[in-house]
Amino acid sequence: MRTALISDIHGNREALEACLEHAERAGVDAYVFLGDFVGYGADPVFVLDTAMSYVARGAVAVLGNHDAAAAGARADMNDDAAAAIAWTRTVLSDAHRDFLARLPLAVEKGTTLYVHADPSDPAGWGYVTDLYSASRALVATRAHVTFCGHTHVPSLFHMSVTGKFASFDPVDRVEIPLTQRRRWLAVIGSVGQPRDRNPAACYAILDDATDVLTYVRVPYDIDSAARKIIEAGLPVGLAYRLYEGY
């Protein structure tokens, strides 16, 4: 089975559509959504309608911090993020809010864990950004592979059987064998708002028959996504940053 791992869409219809089209062409069989469907972008309704349809057909989905805020939870966010969430709340339906409110913080399937933020404390919304935070997360879980998002920066960490930790930056479309002798923490980059200075949408594909993970960058229509942010009256910086990938 080939599974698409999709995170941090953030209301970006164009980026999501591009990734889903690529995944279909790549022969993906299953989908996992790692949270933050909403926030920043101007198409939260489309994104949630799409995600809800995939979940209804068996896709896995977990809660992100922006999702929790949109559903009514208190959140500590910068001004632009808070403004986007305030706007998002005005366009969501009761069905959207109910979907978000029901999402779990984490889902464990066999030896694989899916979570939005730091798996050592999913409700704390911590970031896995370096070897220290990754080692804390790996020690706190028992999964062979943990997939998360939240940072908007693709990265990969692993722990050997002797307890040694290491990391590297994944390269677009280069296959990575997730060997059984190591435990892995894969931070999936962002579909809707990449922050690694590459504006192309980022998602990943896991082939569980071979335990191979591949990160994929997908160009999309940034002009349309940015224009809609401005037309919605959202902070213009949220539009401009799409071009720079930061």
Coordinates of all heavy atoms in Angstrom, one line a residue, residues 110-147:
G110 N -0.8 0.0 14.4 CA 0.3 -0.9 14.5 C 1.5 -0.3 15.1 O 1.5 0.2 16.2
T111 N 2.6 -0.3 14.3 CA 3.8 0.3 14.8 C 4.0 1.8 14.3 O 5.2 2.3 14.3 CB 5.0 -0.5 14.4 OG1 5.1 -0.6 13.0 CG2 4.9 -1.9 15.0
T112 N 3.0 2.4 13.8 CA 3.1 3.7 13.2 C 2.2 4.7 14.0 O 1.0 4.4 14.4 CB 2.6 3.7 11.8 OG1 3.4 2.8 11.0 CG2 2.8 5.1 11.2
L113 N 2.7 5.9 14.3 CA 2.0 6.9 15.1 C 1.9 8.1 14.2 O 2.8 8.6 13.6 CB 2.8 7.2 16.3 CG 2.2 8.4 17.2 CD1 0.9 8.0 17.8 CD2 3.2 8.7 18.3
Y114 N 0.6 8.7 14.2 CA 0.4 9.9 13.5 C -0.1 11.0 14.5 O -0.9 10.8 15.3 CB -0.8 9.7 12.5 CG -0.6 8.6 11.5 CD1 -1.3 7.4 11.5 CD2 0.4 8.7 10.5 CE1 -1.1 6.4 10.6 CE2 0.6 7.6 9.6 CZ -0.2 6.5 9.7 OH 0.0 5.5 8.8
V115 N 0.6 12.2 14.4 CA 0.3 13.2 15.3 C 0.7 14.6 14.6 O 1.5 14.6 13.7 CB 1.1 13.0 16.6 CG1 2.6 13.0 16.4 CG2 0.7 14.0 17.7
H116 N 0.1 15.6 15.1 CA 0.4 16.9 14.4 C 1.7 17.5 15.0 O 2.6 17.9 14.2 CB -0.7 17.9 14.7 CG -0.4 19.3 14.0 ND1 -0.3 19.5 12.7 CD2 -0.1 20.5 14.6 CE1 0.0 20.7 12.4 NE2 0.1 21.4 13.6
A117 N 1.9 17.6 16.3 CA 3.0 18.3 16.9 C 3.9 17.3 17.6 O 3.9 16.1 17.3 CB 2.5 19.4 17.8
D118 N 4.7 17.8 18.5 CA 5.6 16.9 19.3 C 4.9 15.8 19.9 O 4.0 15.9 20.8 CB 6.3 17.8 20.4 CG 7.3 17.0 21.2 OD1 7.4 15.8 21.1 OD2 7.9 17.7 22.1
P119 N 5.2 14.5 19.5 CA 4.5 13.4 20.0 C 4.7 13.1 21.5 O 3.9 12.3 22.1 CB 5.0 12.2 19.2 CG 6.3 12.6 18.7 CD 6.2 14.1 18.5
S120 N 5.7 13.7 22.1 CA 5.9 13.5 23.6 C 4.8 14.2 24.4 O 4.6 13.9 25.5 CB 7.3 14.0 24.0 OG 7.4 15.4 23.9
D121 N 4.2 15.2 23.8 CA 3.1 16.0 24.4 C 2.2 16.6 23.3 O 2.3 17.8 23.1 CB 3.7 17.1 25.3 CG 2.6 17.9 26.0 OD1 1.4 17.4 26.1 OD2 2.9 19.0 26.5
P122 N 1.4 15.8 22.7 CA 0.6 16.3 21.5 C -0.3 17.5 21.8 O -0.4 18.4 21.0 CB -0.3 15.1 21.2 CG 0.5 13.9 21.6 CD 1.1 14.4 22.9
A123 N -0.8 17.6 23.0 CA -1.7 18.7 23.4 C -0.9 20.0 23.7 O -1.5 21.1 23.8 CB -2.6 18.4 24.6
G124 N 0.4 19.9 23.9 CA 1.2 21.1 24.2 C 1.7 21.8 22.9 O 2.2 22.9 23.0
W125 N 1.4 21.3 21.8 CA 1.7 21.9 20.5 C 3.2 22.3 20.4 O 3.5 23.3 19.8 CB 0.8 23.1 20.2 CG -0.6 22.8 20.3 CD1 -1.5 23.5 21.1 CD2 -1.4 21.9 19.6 NE1 -2.8 22.9 21.0 CE2 -2.7 22.0 20.0 CE3 -1.1 20.9 18.6 CZ2 -3.8 21.2 19.5 CZ3 -2.1 20.1 18.1 CH2 -3.4 20.2 18.5
G126 N 4.1 21.5 20.9 CA 5.5 21.8 20.8 C 6.0 21.4 19.4 O 5.4 20.6 18.6
Y127 N 7.2 22.0 19.0 CA 7.8 21.8 17.7 C 8.9 20.8 17.8 O 9.8 20.9 18.7 CB 8.3 23.1 17.1 CG 7.2 24.1 16.8 CD1 6.7 25.0 17.8 CD2 6.6 24.2 15.6 CE1 5.7 25.9 17.5 CE2 5.6 25.1 15.3 CZ 5.1 26.0 16.3 OH 4.2 26.9 16.0
V128 N 9.1 20.0 16.8 CA 10.2 19.1 16.6 C 11.1 19.8 15.5 O 10.8 19.7 14.3 CB 9.9 17.7 16.2 CG1 11.1 16.9 16.0 CG2 8.9 17.1 17.2
T129 N 12.1 20.5 16.0 CA 12.9 21.3 15.1 C 14.4 20.9 15.0 O 15.1 21.4 14.2 CB 12.8 22.8 15.5 OG1 13.3 22.9 16.9 CG2 11.4 23.3 15.4
D130 N 14.8 20.1 16.0 CA 16.3 19.8 16.1 C 16.5 18.4 16.7 O 15.5 17.8 17.1 CB 17.0 20.9 16.9 CG 16.4 21.1 18.2 OD1 15.8 20.2 18.8 OD2 16.6 22.3 18.7
L131 N 17.7 18.0 16.9 CA 18.0 16.7 17.4 C 17.6 16.5 18.8 O 17.1 15.5 19.2 CB 19.5 16.4 17.2 CG 19.9 15.0 17.2 CD1 19.2 14.2 16.0 CD2 21.4 14.9 17.0
Y132 N 17.6 17.6 19.6 CA 17.2 17.5 21.0 C 15.7 17.2 21.1 O 15.3 16.3 21.8 CB 17.6 18.8 21.7 CG 17.0 18.8 23.2 CD1 17.7 18.1 24.2 CD2 15.9 19.6 23.5 CE1 17.1 18.1 25.5 CE2 15.4 19.6 24.7 CZ 16.0 18.9 25.7 OH 15.5 18.9 27.0
S133 N 14.9 18.1 20.4 CA 13.5 17.8 20.5 C 13.1 16.5 19.9 O 12.1 15.9 20.4 CB 12.7 19.0 19.9 OG 13.2 19.3 18.6
A134 N 13.8 16.1 18.8 CA 13.4 14.8 18.2 C 13.8 13.7 19.1 O 13.0 12.7 19.2 CB 14.2 14.7 16.9
S135 N 14.9 13.7 19.8 CA 15.3 12.7 20.7 C 14.3 12.5 21.9 O 14.0 11.4 22.2 CB 16.7 12.9 21.2 OG 16.8 14.1 22.0
R136 N 13.8 13.7 22.4 CA 12.8 13.6 23.4 C 11.6 12.9 22.9 O 10.9 12.1 23.6 CB 12.5 15.0 23.9 CG 11.4 15.1 25.0 CD 11.2 16.6 25.3 NE 10.7 17.3 24.1 CZ 10.9 18.5 23.8 NH1 11.8 19.3 24.6 NH2 10.4 19.1 22.7
A137 N 11.2 13.3 21.7 CA 10.0 12.7 21.1 C 10.1 11.2 20.9 O 9.2 10.4 21.1 CB 9.6 13.4 19.8
L138 N 11.3 10.8 20.3 CA 11.5 9.4 20.1 C 11.5 8.5 21.3 O 11.0 7.4 21.3 CB 12.8 9.2 19.3 CG 12.8 9.6 17.8 CD1 14.1 9.7 17.2 CD2 12.0 8.5 17.0
V139 N 12.1 9.0 22.4 CA 12.2 8.3 23.6 C 10.8 8.2 24.2 O 10.5 7.2 24.9 CB 13.2 9.0 24.6 CG1 13.0 8.5 26.0 CG2 14.6 8.9 24.1
A140 N 9.9 9.2 24.0 CA 8.6 9.2 24.6 C 7.6 8.2 23.9 O 6.5 8.0 24.5 CB 8.1 10.6 24.6
T141 N 7.9 7.8 22.7 CA 7.0 6.9 22.0 C 7.6 5.5 21.8 O 8.8 5.3 21.9 CB 6.7 7.5 20.6 OG1 7.9 7.6 19.8 CG2 6.2 8.9 20.8
R142 N 6.7 4.6 21.4 CA 7.2 3.2 21.1 C 7.1 2.9 19.6 O 7.4 1.8 19.3 CB 6.4 2.3 22.0 CG 6.6 2.4 23.5 CD 5.6 1.5 24.2 NE 4.2 1.9 24.0 CZ 3.2 1.2 24.5 NH1 3.4 0.1 25.2 NH2 2.0 1.6 24.3
A143 N 6.6 3.8 18.8 CA 6.3 3.5 17.4 C 7.6 3.3 16.7 O 8.6 3.9 17.0 CB 5.5 4.6 16.8
H144 N 7.6 2.4 15.7 CA 8.7 2.3 14.8 C 8.9 3.5 13.9 O 10.0 4.0 13.7 CB 8.5 1.1 13.9 CG 9.5 1.0 12.8 ND1 9.2 0.8 11.4 CD2 10.9 1.0 12.8 CE1 10.3 0.8 10.7 NE2 11.3 0.9 11.5
V145 N 7.8 4.1 13.5 CA 7.8 5.3 12.7 C 6.7 6.3 13.2 O 5.6 5.9 13.4 CB 7.5 5.1 11.2 CG1 7.7 6.4 10.4 CG2 8.5 4.1 10.6
T146 N 7.1 7.5 13.5 CA 6.2 8.6 13.9 C 6.2 9.6 12.8 O 7.2 10.1 12.4 CB 6.6 9.2 15.2 OG1 6.5 8.2 16.3 CG2 5.6 10.3 15.6
F147 N 4.9 10.0 12.4 CA 4.8 11.1 11.4 C 4.1 12.3 12.0 O 3.1 12.1 12.7 CB 4.0 10.6 10.2 CG 4.6 9.5 9.4 CD1 4.1 8.2 9.5 CD2 5.6 9.8 8.5 CE1 4.7 7.2 8.8 CE2 6.2 8.8 7.8 CZ 5.8 7.5 7.9

